[in-house]
Every structure is written in C-alpha cells, then in structure tokens.
C-alpha cells in the first residue's frame, strides 16, 4: 500500500526540492503540496470529513511555513487529526528543537539540506506509526477522529455594536438544539459575558495560558458550567491579566476546545489583540457585527482591511451581521456588503432594545423571552450558520432553524 505524503511548504525552491525527493521514495505517493498553514488545515479537514482513511499518512511541514508558526501548526494537526504523522523539516537540528517538536506532536524531524536516506527512514517510520494508529481507531468507536467542532468568532465593528449579545444567543441556540457548546470570552480586558449571564467565577481563560498541554481534565477545571448547559470560559476579572494570553496560548486553547465541543463560540470584542487575531484566523466562521450607521460601517471596513493586511482573514471569508436594523434606515445590508467587500448574513437583527433592557440590567440575558424579535433573529442566524442541530427532515438555514426553535418551544 503506497504511503500518501502531503508537503506543507511555502517557498518555491523548497517545494521543488522536497517534492522531487519525496517522489523518489519507495512506495511513496506525494500529493499536491499546500503553500500555507490555512490551506493545510482546510485540506485535512475536507479529507477527514469524508473518512479518516482519506487522510495522508504523513504530512511534511517546512520550518518557514506561515502564517501560523511551524510548531503551532504541528500542534493543531496533532490535536485535530491524530491519525496523521507530522515530520518537521528544519535547518536547526539541535536537541532543543527536536525536543520541542516532539512536545508539540511531531513524529519526526529531518535536517536541511535534505538527505535521501534520512528522509526515507523518517517517512517509513512515521507511516508505520500512522497505519498502527488507524488500525487502533478502527477498533475503538469512541476515539476522536474528526475535524473537530465548529469554531465561530464574533467581533464588533465598534464598541457597543452587539458582539457579546450575539455570541451569547448563538451559543444558547446551539446548546438548546442538543449540541455541546462552549462560549469563550476572548475580549480579555473588557469582557462582559459573566455580567450578562450573572456568573460569579474564579477561573478564567488566563489559567490556561501557561499550560503547554491542555488535557480534557485541565480544560474542565477552567470551564464554568452554566445553568443553561453552556460551558463558559471567561475573561479575567482583572483586565491587565489578559496580556498573559498570547496568540500562541490562544491557538492552544481554541484547539483544545474544538476537540471537545461540537460548537465553540468566541466573543472577541471590538479591539482585537494577538489572542483574538489567532482565534479569528482559526475560526470556521468569522462574524463582524455592525450597526447600520456611518461610524460602525466605517469601523467594519477598517477591521476587514486590517485583517487582510495582517493575513488574519480575507474579506470574502468574513460575514458581516447587521444589528439594530430597520427598514427606514438609509444604510441597508446590500450597501454594507458593497462597502466592506464581505458576505452579509441574510438574517438581520431588528432594533428593539426595549425587549432587552430588563434582562440586560438583571444580568439574565439567557432568560430573554422566546417571543422576542431579537432572540428570534439571533437564533435564526444560528440556523443560517449551521450551528443548530436540525431534526430529521428539517430544513437547513435561517428559516428552518427558527421553525425548529418554535417547535421546541411549543412542544
């Protein structure tokens, strides 16, 4: 049986040398190389969605892959696709880097310049390991082999645009439909999820920042289980401690959550630092909440352009959600789509703060009435995004999700 090898290499010269050498290995079947970390994860996710058997046995990661650093990328692959063996190709073959690569989940390390004998030996050993793991996975039904849960980030075009409210209601909708859901407050300095849900907490996302190996038990200790069933990972009470959550820590935390929950909703707030940027980059869906006014729409456009410049996310991969919408507003969703260059959610959230005021003031936003037009819109948005579990025979999309919610409430 041939060994499928997927090279993840960004530099053109390195691509040629690595693919040429891989093609010479016995029983090797190199597949088309990927140029960056995003393309690698997307490719593996697509293959894993079909079957674990469709995944390559070996992934070869070049040290200069980007935009996610090579070691961080190896960790994410190891967490999300445990049946894939990763080999790091690097010019630094020191014992320190070797140990670090192993700690991050690599199964082997090959030094540059490449040697045929060394590469062949490593690929053979890693391929045998991968085959053994798949044999084990085939025998056990409870071993995690999929692409992980769906991660959705919610960011505000400006402060007060409604990112936190949106994140909470999306998470509540997913949880109510029967999906295990985590809600994360990555607005590290000014996060308000705890206030909105009337939660007194001791641990926060900061408690995971310094941990290099986030086990399920460690994660469970940091998570607060809310009465609604949501798993909450909250921002620190002392905002200055948010600086402890680096982009590297954020990637580890998001990967750990993705491997344990079906849906992970992350409130990134309106000011995105390194941790929030890492979350947006890793997300399956990135939402940007705006209100239909000039200042907010300009803020949305500015955020989209910044994400693109920093290679966090392309405009066409971002979805703008229009909050506080009314038919009489001069700025309508088609104009916002044209200005920002993003997709715009079909579901708009109406301007009706009177429905929200009492539950917001009481810190009980989860008790918002089912007849609320704002709640109906946000739960419909959850359906549009595919976050809710649709009953057999149910429709996908916003309308189907709202109908499902109403059946649950009526029945």
């Amino acid at each position: 049986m041939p060994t499928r090898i997927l090279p993840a290499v960004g530099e053109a010269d390195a691509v040629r040398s690595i693919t040429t050498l891989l093609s010479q290995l016995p029983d090797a079947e190199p597949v088309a190389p990927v140029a960056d970390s995003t393309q690698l994860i997307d490719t593996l996710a697509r293959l894993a969605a079909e079957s674990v058997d469709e995944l390559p046995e070996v992934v070869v990661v070049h040290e200069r892959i980007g935009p996610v650093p090579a070691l961080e990328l190896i960790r994410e692959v190891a967490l999300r696709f445990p049946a894939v063996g990763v080999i790091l190709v690097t010019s630094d073959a020191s014992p320190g880097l070797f140990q670090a690569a192993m700690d991050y989940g690599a199964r082997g390390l090959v030094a540059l310049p490449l040697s045929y004998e060394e590469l062949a030996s490593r690929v053979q050993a890693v391929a045998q390991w991968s085959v053994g793991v798949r044999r084990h996975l085939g025998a056990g039904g409870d071993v995690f082999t999929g692409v992980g849960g769906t991660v959705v980030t919610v960011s505000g075009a400006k402060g007060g645009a409604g990112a936190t409210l949106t994140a909470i209601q999306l998470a509540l909708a997913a949880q109510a439909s029967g999906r295990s859901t985590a809600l994360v407050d990555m607005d590290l300095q000014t996060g308000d999820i705890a206030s909105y849900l009337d939660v007194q907490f001791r641990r926060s996302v900061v408690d995971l920042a310094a941990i290099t190996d986030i086990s399920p038990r460690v994660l469970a200790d940091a998570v607060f289980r809310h009465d609604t069933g949501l798993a909450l990972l909250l921002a620190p009470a002392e905002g200055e401690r948010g600086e402890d959550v680096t982009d590297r820590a954020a990637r580890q935390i998001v990967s750990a959550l993705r491997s344990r929950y079906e849906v992970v909703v992350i409130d990134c707030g309106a000011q995105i630092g390194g941790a929030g940027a890492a979350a947006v980059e890793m997300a399956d869906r990135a939402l940007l909440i705006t209100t239909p006014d000039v200042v907010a729409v300009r803020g949305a456009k500015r955020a989209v352009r910044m994400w693109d410049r920093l290679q966090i996310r392309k405009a066409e991969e971002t979805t703008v959600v229009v909050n506080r919408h009314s038919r009489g507003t001069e700025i309508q969703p088609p104009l916002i789509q044209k200005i920002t260059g993003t997709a715009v959610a079909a579901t708009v959230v109406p301007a009706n703060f009177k429905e929200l005021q009492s539950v917001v003031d009481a810190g009980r936003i989860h008790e918002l009435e089912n007849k609320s037009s704002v709640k109906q819109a946000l739960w419909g948005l959850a359906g549009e995004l595919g976050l809710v579990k649709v009953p057999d025979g149910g429709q996908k999309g916003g309308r189907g999700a709202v109908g499902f919610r109403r059946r649950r409430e009526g029945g």
Side-chain angles (χ1 to χ4, degrees):
M1 177 180 174
T3 299
R4 292 162 297 179
I5 309 169
L6 174 58
V9 189
E11 296 179 349
D13 291 341
V15 169
R16 283 191 294 270
S17 63
I18 291 176
T19 54
T20 298
L21 206 52
L22 289 175
S23 64
Q24 298 173 5
L25 299 181
D27 297 324
E29 186 181 305
V31 298
V34 295
D36 58 42
S37 57
T38 302
Q39 192 178 355
L40 173 61
I41 296 300
D42 289 347
T43 299
L44 294 176
R46 175 175 51 80
L47 294 172
E50 299 176 18
S51 168
V52 67
D53 293 329
E54 296 300 318
L55 288 166
E57 285 78 19
V58 180
V59 169
V60 177
V61 175
H62 190 270
E63 62 180 353
R64 294 183 182 175
I65 194 73
V68 175
L71 290 180
E72 300 293 343
L73 178 60
I74 290 170
R75 181 190 292 278
E76 185 170 359
V77 172
L79 282 170
R80 295 180 60 182
F81 312 100
V84 175
V86 184
I87 296 174
L88 174 64
V89 175
T90 176
S91 56
D92 177 13
S94 66
L97 181 62
F98 181 85
Q99 184 60 53
M102 298 303 106
D103 290 343
Y104 275 75
R107 302 302 308 177
L109 183 147
V110 178
L112 291 169
L114 290 175
S115 158
Y116 174 87
E117 290 76 13
E118 184 183 11
L119 183 61
S121 174
R122 282 292 91 212
V123 167
Q124 183 181 18
V126 172
Q128 290 176 350
W129 173 87
S130 177
V131 170
V133 170
R134 292 172 198 222
R135 190 178 300 115
H136 171 70
L137 293 178
D142 60 346
V143 180
F144 174 75
T145 62
V147 299
T150 300
V151 175
V152 179
T153 56
V154 185
S155 308
K158 66 179 184 66
T164 300
L165 173 67
T166 301
I168 292 172
Q169 291 297 329
L170 291 178
L172 288 171
Q175 180 70 32
S177 76
R179 287 191 160 177
S180 60
T181 305
L183 175 60
V184 185
D185 200 339
M186 202 66 83
D187 186 0
L188 297 171
Q189 295 183 335
T190 58
D192 281 325
I193 286 180
S195 298
Y196 272 81
L197 295 176
D198 191 25
V199 170
Q200 301 293 326
F201 64 99
R202 182 170 57 89
R203 296 191 180 276
S204 73
V205 65
V206 173
D207 293 296
L208 297 177
I211 299 175
T212 56
D213 184 13
I214 303 176
S215 67
R217 185 168 187 174
V218 169
L219 185 62
D221 287 343
V223 164
F224 180 90
R225 183 67 62 176
H226 192 258
D227 293 342
T228 58
L230 287 178
L232 304 180
L233 188 56
L234 301 166
E238 304 83 11
E240 65 275 12
R241 295 192 64 202
E243 296 180 359
D244 296 338
V245 186
T246 63
D247 56 343
R248 173 181 170 182
R251 289 191 182 98
Q252 294 178 199
I253 292 166
V254 173
S255 294
L257 289 164
R258 191 202 295 268
S259 69
R260 191 158 181 82
Y261 296 94
E262 294 178 83
V263 176
V264 181
V265 181
I266 305 174
D267 177 8
C268 293
Q271 299 294 327
I272 295 188
V280 171
E281 183 182 11
M282 295 178 68
D284 298 292
R285 300 294 295 266
L287 306 184
L288 186 58
I289 314 301
T290 186
T291 49
D293 58 82
V294 172
V295 174
V297 173
R298 282 179 178 171
K301 182 179 180 181
R302 184 167 57 246
V304 168
R305 287 184 170 180
M306 180 182 70
W307 292 359
D308 188 49
R309 286 195 307 272
L310 298 177
Q311 298 185 349
I312 296 170
R313 203 168 194 92
K314 296 178 182 178
E316 58 269 25
E317 297 173 347
T318 302
T319 301
V320 167
V321 177
V322 182
N323 188 23
R324 300 181 199 138
H325 174 267
S326 67
R327 293 184 178 180
T329 305
E330 189 171 332
I331 300 177
Q332 292 293 320
L335 178 58
I336 295 174
Q337 182 173 16
K338 183 177 180 181
I339 292 172
T340 60
T342 65
V344 173
T347 305
V348 295
V349 184
N352 201 338
F353 184 72
K354 287 184 179 179
E355 295 178 354
L356 304 173
Q357 189 165 7
S358 60
V359 290
V360 169
D361 290 344
R364 308 286 292 179
I365 196 67
H366 51 290
E367 294 180 355
L368 183 62
E369 293 185 3
N370 294 329
K371 66 181 180 181
S372 160
S373 61
V374 174
K375 179 174 180 177
Q376 289 180 12
L378 288 171
W379 284 42
L381 175 64
E384 181 182 337
L385 297 172
L387 301 184
V388 299
K389 185 181 293 184
V390 181
D392 294 338
Q395 297 178 344
K396 292 186 178 181
R399 292 184 179 180
V402 173
F404 164 62
R405 179 182 52 74
R406 286 173 177 163
R407 286 195 296 275
R408 283 180 59 92
E409 292 163 2

